[in-house]
Amino acid sequence: MGAHRKGPVRAGQAVRAGRVEAGAPAPSGRDRYFDTLRALALVRVVAYHAFGWPWAGLVFPSMGVMFGLAGTLMARSLQRPAATVVRSRLRRLLPPFWCWGLFVVGAMLVRGWMPGWQIVYWVVPLGDPPGSAWGEQAWEILWYLRTYLWFVLLSPLLLRLFRLAPVPVLLLSLAPIVAFQFLWQPPENRFGTGLLDLATYLFCWVLGFAHRDGVLARLKPAAVVVLSLAALACGAWYAFAHRAEYGTYDLDDIPLAQAFWSAGFVTLLMYSKARLGVDFSGLVRLRRLDRLVSVFNARAVTVYLWHELALVLAVPLIDRCWDVPAFEAYLPLGSQWFLLAVGWVLVAGFVLLFGWVEDVAARRRPRLLP
């Protein structure tokens, strides 16, 4: 379970035939701490898909961070009428998804794939869109968009419930994943997978509410640190204790461990901001790095959607390089690091080609780069 259900793309292999909150340009006044966390989360996702490191989620649980940040933004937006906010989120998310989907669905159709009525999920991904085994490397990442979309739809109710009893609701938001692990296993279909992903990241989303409403800042440091460390310990223990059962300690394959580790990790990150005022405002002095963070945030959906295609396309591109003696002699064509580098070049190309769709979706003037 998670953002990285498949292993890495390997350099030198033939391509196999055969699941973001949309940011905005970084004007003065944006929170550079959260912007930097989002950028780091995207970088870690791409690196994981290139290398397949099972420990990556323990170092930085990207998806938990992204859901926590999205929850904060959603709580802030819900100062406006809920229907307006939901429409705005759909408008920002769907056009980039449709643009990307035209290429992925088109390629699968050309390869002989024929969907049934489930193709409606390629219009609005309320469930996992169908796809062929040949295109799985591309479409498997869509679980994140589906989960994000459901959180957006549920947020008006969740936020109202949270404000009735903030701390109890926050703590109880871990109860569904515990129930699914020990009391009732969701079915292995679209409905069950959707429930499991929602339960896994529910705490992080509600934690975003707690940060936005100032609840997190009012909590005692000792209690926050102790409970966060306990959640981290629980997540790590479960992952390693059940390593034989799951065949790995990779958190993306172990929902309960992912939920608790992400809960502890993201709580400490957000509490550092809320209570200690941790800020990366000094980043503006490092202009190139600050600019890079801005681009990542303004093109977050584009980077997330296109990065797997970039890594897949990097493989045949590198394979062709073996036919050039100079490249074979002087380039590390067999290195996964080289694959990652080529993948990032292709991601940059996709951002230039299709990133403007995020501007149109957000009703901004289209630009090659923000």
Side-chain angles (χ1 to χ4, degrees), residues 12-96:
Q13 288 181 339
V15 182
R16 288 189 306 168
R19 269 167 88 226
V20 161
E21 174 73 10
S28 59
R30 277 195 64 101
D31 192 317
R32 301 313 275 165
Y33 179 69
F34 284 167
D35 285 350
T36 303
L37 290 181
R38 187 179 293 104
L40 286 174
L42 287 169
V43 169
R44 206 282 285 167
V45 167
V46 178
Y48 176 92
H49 280 148
F51 292 95
W53 295 317
W55 45 264
L58 293 168
V59 173
F60 194 80
S62 288
M63 308 318 294
V65 169
M66 291 172 71
F67 281 118
L69 299 179
T72 295
L73 293 175
M74 192 66 187
R76 182 181 68 184
S77 296
L78 283 172
Q79 297 175 81
R80 296 178 286 145
T84 301
V85 173
V86 171
R87 282 198 303 269
S88 175
R89 287 293 188 273
L90 289 174
R91 189 188 69 243
R92 287 170 174 261
L93 178 68
L94 293 180

Side-chain angles (χ1 to χ4, degrees), residues 3-7 9 15-19 49 100 104 108 113 122 129-143 308-309 312:
H4 326 293
R5 293 183 178 20
K6 297 296 179 184
V9 181
V15 182
R16 288 189 306 168
R19 269 167 88 226
H49 280 148
W100 173 85
V104 176
M108 291 190 294
W113 173 69
W122 280 101
S132 66
W134 176 81
E136 185 176 2
Q137 191 78 43
W139 56 255
E140 65 175 352
I141 62 171
L142 293 179
W143 75 270
E308 273 282 33
L309 277 178
V312 170

Side-chain angles (χ1 to χ4, degrees), residues 189-204:
N189 54 26
R190 280 187 176 85
F191 174 74
T193 301
L195 277 181
L196 192 60
D197 287 339
L198 284 169
T200 301
Y201 296 103
L202 178 61
F203 181 94
C204 293

